[in-house]
Amino acid sequence: MAPSLAGLVACSEPVSPFDDNGIAPSLNRGLTGGYGKLEPVKKYPEISLPRGFFAERLSVRGDMMDDGIRVPQALDGMGAFAMGGNIVRLVRNHEIRDGISTAKPFGSNPYDSKAPAGTTTLEVEVRADGAATLRKQFTSLTGTMVNCAGGITPWGSWITSEETVAGTSAGWAQNHGYNFEVPASADGPVTPVPLKAMGRFVHEAVAVDPDTGIVYETEDRNPSGFYRFIPSVKGNLAAGGTLEMLAVVGADKYDTRKGQTVGLVHQARWVPIANPDSDAPSISSGFVFNQGFALGGAQFARLEGCWWGDGGCYFNSTSGGEKNLGQIFKYTPTSANGGELVMVYESPDRGVLKNPDNVCVSPRGGIVLCEDSSGTNFVRGLTRSGEVFDFVRNNINDAEWAGACYSPQGNTLFVNIQGSTSSTSDVFAATYAIWGPWNSGAL
């Protein structure tokens, strides 16, 4: 681990975009590593940021995109990709959950002619100081379902993940529960190819080890498993591979949901998933989990976001811990067949951190956590020394934060207010770019 970031002080700049009136500021609870109190952004009062930081609202639900389609609801997981020069592309999920009676694709070339979710791509120009401007946005995948999170690949694509195992027995035209790959370079809707060898389950997120090409996967159910997919051909997920589930050495069916100690290292091994996919029109949400659990696989409470950093995979258990408020784990591979599992943080109180969902590791080594719970939600930071601080607040609704990711240049944070998971809802949803004095704190 890098040196502790504790003790860094927040600073302000002489020019600020903030209004002195409005919602009372968060005081950041006096924790180190943060950037000071949060105040409503004058230009965009629906969010609050530390003084000295700036924001640009890039995209809003209902905006007309360049392909003539309006930005769908349910802005969720997202990845950022360098496209040459100062151009960055964001591939953004839409976790739409419309029922079979009303659902329909929001664009052309759908995987399922009845399914409502997918991805959109935003092309953004990023200045040297981190300021960002939208150049264009368009549809990039349609006809999938409940595209919650996913992950970036080292070869320049976004893996988008379906958080459902709904099938044709419920009236859908295709079975669901798969990952799909969307190249950042695509200029329109890609041909959807389900990556069936990666498993049919309630997917949440993925993270790729850039050295080995192994893909780590999370599952949003309780209990859930933590998986790895070893591709037959590095960088070619469609060519198939092997799916495995994490187990703790010497403790078959180990339950991580309660009774964990921060910093305690468990030796981990991997058990095989013999049947990662099923063509059945209806399957249990535990179809994959139960196979691994029977062989001793460990159980977690609703695994959601994951991100590769510091030589390992950080991942969130959204409802794990003694208070059911969330745990952050890290898995570090130490050999081809095993590694180390450690809990790096557990929330002690709703006022500190509640139900972290999407996660990313900042270029400076801090961890960005997007909350998904009732009431006011924050984007919070976690320092190397285990302190949590507030960084962004949603001031207008209780929609979750999602999709946090940094520009490849490292000086712009992109993040979404999700909005609603119903395509017909008028709840506010938007994508933001945020920049400022990153080096004065932990992010």
Side-chain angles (χ1 to χ4, degrees):
M1 298 287 279
S4 169
L5 298 182
L8 293 176
V9 294
C11 71
S12 59
E13 295 186 347
V15 179
S16 172
F18 297 100
D19 194 338
D20 290 333
N21 300 314
I23 298 174
S26 161
L27 297 180
N28 242 15
R29 298 178 185 83
L31 300 178
T32 57
Y35 298 90
K37 66 180 182 179
L38 307 189
E39 300 178 2
V41 178
K42 186 175 182 180
K43 187 177 180 181
Y44 305 117
E46 70 271 14
I47 65 172
S48 290
L49 286 169
R51 187 174 293 270
F53 279 86
F54 299 82
E56 184 66 36
R57 195 166 64 198
L58 300 174
S59 175
V60 178
R61 188 276 313 162
D63 284 352
M64 184 66 72
M65 297 192 292
D66 291 78
D67 57 6
I69 296 170
R70 295 196 179 275
V71 174
Q73 264 288 10
L75 285 54
D76 211 284
M78 188 164 63
F81 303 87
M83 302 303 294
N86 61 351
I87 303 302
V88 172
R89 279 193 172 180
L90 305 171
V91 185
R92 178 180 62 188
N93 278 1
H94 295 274
E95 190 193 343
I96 299 172
R97 295 176 176 265
D98 293 351
I100 186 65
S101 62
T102 59
K104 61 180 180 180
F106 60 77
S108 61
N109 199 25
Y111 166 67
D112 182 329
S113 60
K114 300 180 180 180
T119 67
T120 53
T121 296
L122 291 71
E123 186 169 289
V124 179
E125 184 173 356
V126 179
R127 294 197 325 231
D129 64 355
T133 304
L134 179 69
R135 289 173 40 131
K136 61 181 177 179
Q137 55 183 330
F138 53 88
T139 306
S140 48
L141 177 78
T142 67
T144 50
M145 288 184 62
V146 195
N147 293 67
C148 192
I152 60 175
T153 73
W155 50 90
S157 64
W158 170 252
I159 305 302
T160 181
S161 304
E162 293 187 309
E163 191 190 349
T164 180
V165 291
T168 56
S169 66
W172 303 105
Q174 300 278 2
N175 287 333
H176 295 270
Y178 299 114
N179 289 325
F180 295 80
E181 188 163 12
V182 182
S185 60
D187 291 323
V190 302
T191 298
V193 177
L195 302 172
K196 295 187 175 183
M198 297 184 75
R200 184 183 177 193
F201 57 87
V202 184
H203 286 279
E204 180 68 28
V206 305
V208 182
D209 179 342
D211 292 331
T212 65
I214 292 174
V215 184
Y216 294 89
E217 305 184 67
T218 58
E219 175 182 38
D220 190 359
R221 68 186 297 271
N222 191 5
S224 62
F226 182 62
Y227 304 94
R228 72 174 185 179
F229 175 70
I230 305 174
S232 300
V233 179
K234 182 180 177 181
N236 185 355
L237 305 182
T242 302
L243 186 66
E244 298 176 328
M245 179 173 164
L246 182 138
V248 172
V249 174
D252 282 0
K253 302 182 179 180
Y254 185 74
D255 194 340
T256 69
R257 295 173 293 181
K258 302 283 185 182
Q260 300 305 294
T261 301
V262 170
L264 180 64
V265 176
H266 299 283
Q267 297 303 311
R269 62 188 181 93
W270 295 92
V271 298
I273 302 297
N275 300 299
D277 183 35
S278 171
D279 291 330
S282 176
I283 63 170
S284 162
S285 66
F287 169 73
V288 169
F289 173 84
N290 292 338
Q291 295 178 58
F293 189 62
L295 297 176
Q299 51 190 320
F300 298 84
R302 290 192 58 205
L303 292 186
E304 297 211 69
C306 65
W307 198 271
W308 186 266
D310 301 327
C313 182
Y314 289 94
F315 59 99
N316 289 336
S317 169
T318 291
S319 57
E322 301 303 313
K323 300 292 184 65
N324 302 316
L325 291 171
Q327 304 158 307
I328 294 91
F329 290 91
K330 184 185 181 187
Y331 172 77
T332 304
T334 56
S335 70
N337 299 313
E340 296 178 342
L341 175 70
V342 60
M343 187 178 75
V344 300
Y345 185 81
E346 180 177 312
S347 177
D349 183 84
R350 285 180 62 86
V352 176
L353 176 68
K354 55 186 177 69
N355 307 115
D357 189 333
N358 286 182
V359 60
C360 75
V361 178
S362 89
R364 288 150 290 275
I367 297 176
V368 179
L369 301 167
C370 294
E371 288 187 334
D372 176 12
S373 189
S374 59
T376 301
N377 283 308
F378 290 81
V379 177
R380 305 201 200 245
L382 174 64
T383 72
R384 296 290 189 141
S385 53
E387 295 148 329
V388 172
F389 59 90
D390 304 341
F391 182 66
V392 195
R393 182 177 58 221
N394 177 354
N395 296 327
I396 63 168
N397 59 38
D398 62 357
E400 68 183 84
W401 288 100
C405 58
Y406 282 88
S407 64
Q409 298 91 334
N411 54 0
T412 311
L413 176 68
F414 302 103
V415 69
N416 300 317
I417 290 179
Q418 187 197 60
S420 169
T421 57
S422 168
S423 66
T424 59
S425 171
D426 61 359
V427 170
F428 179 82
T431 298
Y432 299 87
I434 297 169
W435 66 96
W438 296 110
N439 289 330
S440 66
L443 299 180

